[in-house]
Amino acid sequence: MSLTVNLLLNGVALGMLIFLIAVGLTLIFGLMGVLNFAHGAIFAWGAYVGWAVYGATGSFILAILAGTATGFVLGFVMERFFIRPFYGNHVAQILLTLGLMIVLTEGIKIFFGPNILGFDKPELLQGVVTILQDPFPVYRIFTIGVGALVLIGVHYLLSRTKYGIIIRAGVQDPEMVQALGIDVRKVFALVFAFGAGLASFGAVIAGPSFGSLHPEIGMQNQLAAFIVIVIGGIGNFVGAAIGAVLVGITQTLMAYYLPEAALAVNVALMALVLILKPEGLFGLRR
Amino acid sequence: MTTLLTVKGIQTFIGQYHILQGVDLEVEQGRVTLILGRNGAGKTTTLRSIMGLTPAKQGQIVFDGEEIQTLKPHLIAQKGIGYVPEDQGVFSDLTVEENMKLAIRKLDDATRARQDFVLDLFPDLKIAWKRKGGNLSGGQKQMLSIARAFVNDNRLLLIDEPSKGLAPIVVEKVMESILELKKRTTIVLVEQNFLMASGVGDDVFILDDGHTVYRGSMADVRSDEAVKKKYLGIGL
């Protein structure tokens, strides 16, 4: 396998990890309009709980379930007791969710300690496969597959199910949805929890790929998630996926050819997209 | 005649503004009750208060023998009240089909029959079935909004100014459809267009400055030039 193909594949795998974080944020920020800066902290909690359950039981499937449930519950509680009075109030949302982020991150330090923890890949997904005569890690293929499945699943949910219709309608005119006999607050709470659950699900998948966890792991990934959402077009899932893959590939290429610029390149890419197409690659003009 | 909806002395505030200061209504089953009045008289707020969207602070709203003024809007809707708001409330990002799907609370044979009936009444909707709500004409949006309210087993429809912004020929079509729907359900209709409304109304309530100032039959109002002039601004 040529170097270029290898770098591209790695870029796609990284992009899919970013997408797994971004997909929940697309629901919460892109559709519901909540600027949730605690999304990364929920991601981190998912990763840590997943790590703990994996360590205790040895079952990666249980780890995924427990991690996902953690995010779902955190999201539900957060919406119910903190976010609900502040729909439509972005300044309050920023202050509130930044505060929650700090509390949740410090909570990780209390429960799991501030040190870096190793997160091993499950045995079944260790090792490499041969692609075009070159080795490629199985786990990265797994990541790409999971990302693709989540994309298809969420797309199906939103476009084909009654829940999806309620979500899309509720975002546009919550009052009318209520007048049609639907408890829109309950739906919003569930969507928020679902988005948070997706973040923590992605976190358990991402953990072994990163190889280690630290309490601030959510912060850096959250930044990437916001960037890909803006690049893809706010509220557009396919756009977020493509944006994530773009960011993943650019970052991988940069890390190889020009490591000093690897961190700046995401923001530069976002700036470029915003200059050329302010609504994002696949966003609707508002 | 049985009374389906009674509104007794409701008072509603929007922010600091005291919009409804004593509105009374009595809606008889199987009839079209008109709410007339000038701009800003409180007609829309009355419908929104019945729906629970701007809840009444005082007074009583009794629907089918049950007090509903403290219920949340989705529960009021579930009691069997359909709402067609002034701006039609069509979801622009959803297709006509999805708008209908969203509205349907329980998909049984009776609901399917009602959907068939209402699509026969508004064949335009069948043609635009896969089109997004945002791409419909004003008349089609109005039809969709009415269809959405009617498709459930609703015993009462609240329809807010269906003639607003529509071409006269479309208004006529909408009013004809209201006469059709009247055979199957009870309707409260808010209108500015007296001429159009007088063709479909049975009973009339006139609001002014947040009060009910007149009640009578359509025939009474039609022949009462003083009332028309005073409250509806219809001169001769």
Side-chain angles (χ1 to χ4, degrees):
Chain A
M1 177 163 50
S2 73
L3 179 65
T4 321
V5 175
N6 194 321
L7 286 175
L8 281 179
L9 266 181
N10 275 309
V12 173
L14 177 63
M16 278 308 180
L17 283 182
I18 300 173
F19 171 69
L20 283 175
I21 310 159
V23 64
L25 201 58
T26 299
L27 276 174
I28 291 171
F29 172 52
L31 284 180
M32 294 171 68
V34 176
L35 267 170
N36 182 15
F37 282 106
H39 195 71
I42 289 175
F43 172 87
W45 267 93
Y48 272 89
V49 171
W51 170 86
V53 170
Y54 186 43
T57 65
S59 161
F60 194 57
I61 292 174
L62 275 183
I64 290 177
L65 289 177
T68 309
T70 304
F72 188 88
V73 171
L74 277 177
F76 191 83
V77 171
M78 203 188 229
E79 196 277 344
R80 177 69 190 79
F81 294 104
F82 297 98
I83 304 289
R84 191 169 283 184
F86 300 112
Y87 281 113
N89 185 347
H90 280 162
V91 175
Q93 289 166 4
I94 292 173
L95 293 173
L96 181 70
T97 56
L98 274 176
L100 287 170
M101 179 199 76
I102 294 169
V103 172
L104 287 171
T105 307
E106 293 305 308
I108 287 176
K109 291 179 190 165
I110 293 169
F111 278 95
F112 300 97
N115 297 326
I116 293 178
L117 303 171
F119 200 152
D120 291 331
K121 296 179 182 73
E123 224 166 277
L124 200 68
L125 298 171
Q126 285 174 2
V128 292
V129 285
T130 308
I131 297 177
L132 300 172
Q133 286 119 39
D134 271 315
F136 190 76
V138 172
Y139 200 82
R140 296 206 179 141
I141 292 176
F142 170 70
T143 325
I144 296 173
V146 171
L149 280 179
V150 167
L151 176 62
I152 294 167
V154 172
H155 183 74
Y156 178 84
L157 174 86
L158 278 179
S159 60
R160 296 271 185 274
T161 67
K162 175 131 186 194
Y163 253 102
I165 295 175
I166 295 174
I167 293 167
R168 285 185 289 148
V171 169
Q172 193 198 329
D173 186 352
E175 195 174 74
M176 191 61 223
V177 175
Q178 272 182 296
L180 289 173
I182 296 159
D183 189 356
V184 87
R185 286 189 318 175
K186 207 155 93 189
V187 175
F188 272 20
L190 282 176
V191 174
F192 197 94
F194 181 64
L198 277 173
S200 54
F201 167 79
V204 187
I205 306 291
S209 193
F210 296 151
S212 64
L213 306 178
H214 57 92
E216 267 90 25
I217 194 166
M219 202 45 212
Q220 68 196 65
N221 289 296
Q222 168 171 300
L223 186 64
F226 269 109
I227 289 175
V228 306
I229 287 176
V230 171
I231 289 178
I234 291 167
N236 186 318
F237 286 89
V238 181
I242 292 171
V245 169
L246 268 180
V247 164
I249 289 174
T250 331
Q251 207 170 311
T252 313
L253 288 176
M254 276 301 185
Y256 186 81
Y257 290 110
L258 196 63
E260 309 84 56
L263 271 180
V265 73
N266 285 346
V267 181
L269 188 66
M270 177 171 77
L272 184 71
V273 168
L274 286 181
I275 289 169
L276 297 176
K277 214 163 172 288
E279 65 276 15
L281 291 179
F282 301 93
L284 296 174
R285 227 171 256 280
R286 285 168 196 242
Chain B
M1 254 188 302
T2 32
T3 306
L4 184 63
L5 176 82
T6 313
V7 174
K8 261 189 232 155
I10 56 167
Q11 311 238 358
T12 301
F13 293 79
I14 297 179
Q16 56 177 335
Y17 300 104
H18 195 178
I19 307 289
L20 302 186
Q21 309 181 5
V23 168
D24 302 296
L25 294 176
E26 250 170 68
V27 176
E28 306 294 340
Q29 198 145 10
R31 293 166 73 86
V32 175
T33 302
L34 280 183
I35 303 180
L36 302 175
R38 282 189 279 246
N39 254 338
K43 306 184 294 293
T44 294
T45 308
T46 300
L47 294 194
R48 288 177 55 85
S49 291
I50 296 170
M51 254 352 262
L53 295 169
T54 47
K57 271 249 167 71
Q58 275 175 51
Q60 213 182 20
I61 302 172
V62 180
F63 175 65
D64 203 17
E66 191 184 344
E67 281 192 35
I68 59 167
Q69 72 269 12
T70 54
L71 297 182
K72 295 258 177 266
H74 68 276
L75 295 175
I76 294 174
Q78 286 169 18
K79 298 271 173 212
I81 303 183
Y83 178 51
V84 180
E86 203 175 359
D87 65 359
Q88 296 131 10
V90 165
F91 298 101
S92 54
D93 194 35
L94 305 185
T95 62
V96 171
E97 181 184 18
E98 288 172 330
N99 266 281
M100 291 300 283
K101 231 191 208 171
L102 177 71
I104 289 172
R105 289 199 289 271
K106 195 173 111 205
L107 188 60
D108 51 15
D109 287 346
T111 305
R112 276 192 201 94
R114 272 193 304 273
Q115 176 160 311
D116 290 344
F117 167 80
V118 86
L119 289 181
D120 285 340
L121 194 61
F122 302 126
D124 267 36
L125 294 183
K126 254 192 276 188
I127 298 164
W129 197 238
K130 297 279 179 195
R131 211 177 294 160
K132 292 232 163 149
N135 298 333
L136 301 178
S137 71
Q140 288 169 330
K141 278 185 192 165
Q142 192 59 258
M143 293 170 194
L144 175 55
S145 192
I146 293 173
R148 231 171 35 179
F150 179 78
V151 75
N152 289 303
D153 186 18
N154 285 331
R155 281 165 298 158
L156 178 67
L157 301 188
L158 309 176
I159 306 179
D160 198 350
E161 258 196 78
S163 71
K164 194 181 180 186
L166 299 185
I169 185 155
V170 184
V171 175
E172 223 166 278
K173 167 79 192 135
V174 169
M175 290 299 163
E176 272 169 35
S177 69
I178 288 175
L179 281 178
E180 266 318 299
L181 295 178
K182 179 187 151 180
K183 295 174 189 161
R184 294 159 179 257
T185 185
T186 307
I187 295 170
V188 174
L189 184 64
V190 161
E191 253 312 333
Q192 290 269 20
N193 187 336
F194 179 75
L195 217 64
M196 283 299 171
S198 64
V200 298
D202 298 310
D203 306 309
V204 178
F205 287 80
I206 297 178
L207 304 190
D208 204 41
D209 286 338
H211 300 270
T212 299
V213 292
Y214 179 92
R215 57 183 296 178
S217 71
M218 194 69 241
D220 293 341
V221 180
R222 227 183 264 129
S223 58
D224 194 335
E225 299 302 337
V227 163
K228 276 199 280 188
K229 195 167 177 192
K230 186 167 176 202
Y231 296 118
L232 306 175
I234 303 168
L236 292 175

